[in-house]
Amino acid sequence: MDWKEVIQSVESSRKLLEALWNLDGEAVAKGIDQAHREISVLQYNDENSLSCTINLAFYFAREYYTVIRELPTGKGFADICFIPRKLYADKPAAVIELKWDKDAHGAISQIKEKQYVDALKDYHGNLLLAGINYDKKIKQHTCVIERYHKQ
């Protein structure tokens, strides 16, 4: 059996995670675009479809993180959170907010305004805030990433 495509997908996912860690929003957006083309979701027309694509694209993150979808925050739900496993406590946690036909910067603002990071009660240190938007007119993802320190 030829595992070439599987190996390439895992490698793409690893590079995507590294781009997130490096705050390279452009590379993250390109990686998600690539994953979207490869996954071929029948109806890519809402935030749930986007969430499925993001989770598959970041498959490699499970090596380092517990991945939680729709984490209750008290003021809403954080779409996706990466919480470092104890063995990888040196890795930053991440809060990812998804938007559909809106704005990646607006997603970051929502994370801050609704204080989504407070849901990570037991986590202190470096966090990454990522806003990901899909523009259905131009069929392209955008991503903005910020570093955040939680006391």
Side-chain angles (χ1 to χ4, degrees), residues 59-74:
Y59 181 79
F60 192 80
R62 286 160 178 77
E63 174 74 20
Y64 299 96
Y65 296 100
T66 298
V67 178
I68 301 173
R69 281 184 66 185
E70 299 296 331
L71 180 68
T73 65

Side-chain angles (χ1 to χ4, degrees), residues 40-123:
S40 80
V41 175
L42 293 177
Q43 290 187 335
Y44 198 69
N45 58 4
D46 60 18
E47 198 173 292
N48 189 49
S49 300
L50 177 58
S51 179
C52 290
T53 299
I54 301 300
N55 275 284
L56 287 170
F58 277 105
Y59 181 79
F60 192 80
R62 286 160 178 77
E63 174 74 20
Y64 299 96
Y65 296 100
T66 298
V67 178
I68 301 173
R69 281 184 66 185
E70 299 296 331
L71 180 68
T73 65
K75 293 185 179 183
F77 293 87
D79 290 326
I80 302 170
C81 290
F82 291 173
I83 301 172
R85 298 181 186 278
K86 290 186 188 211
L87 188 59
Y88 299 105
D90 61 317
K91 301 296 182 198
V95 177
I96 301 172
E97 182 63 23
L98 307 175
K99 293 293 173 193
W100 185 264
D101 257 352
K102 293 188 181 165
D103 181 63
H105 290 283
I108 296 283
S109 295
Q110 181 175 327
I111 292 170
K112 292 175 181 177
E113 288 166 13
K114 294 193 175 186
Q115 301 168 337
Y116 288 173
V117 296
D118 290 349
L120 305 176
K121 297 179 188 106
D122 298 327
Y123 184 81

Side-chain angles (χ1 to χ4, degrees), residues 19-20 23-29 32 95-98 103-109 111-112 128-133 141-147:
L20 178 72
L23 308 178
D24 188 346
E26 187 175 323
V28 169
I32 294 167
V95 177
I96 301 172
E97 182 63 23
L98 307 175
D103 181 63
H105 290 283
I108 296 283
S109 295
I111 292 170
K112 292 175 181 177
L128 300 175
L129 309 181
I132 299 172
N133 180 61
H141 298 86
T142 54
C143 178
V144 175
I145 306 165
E146 292 182 10
R147 198 173 300 282

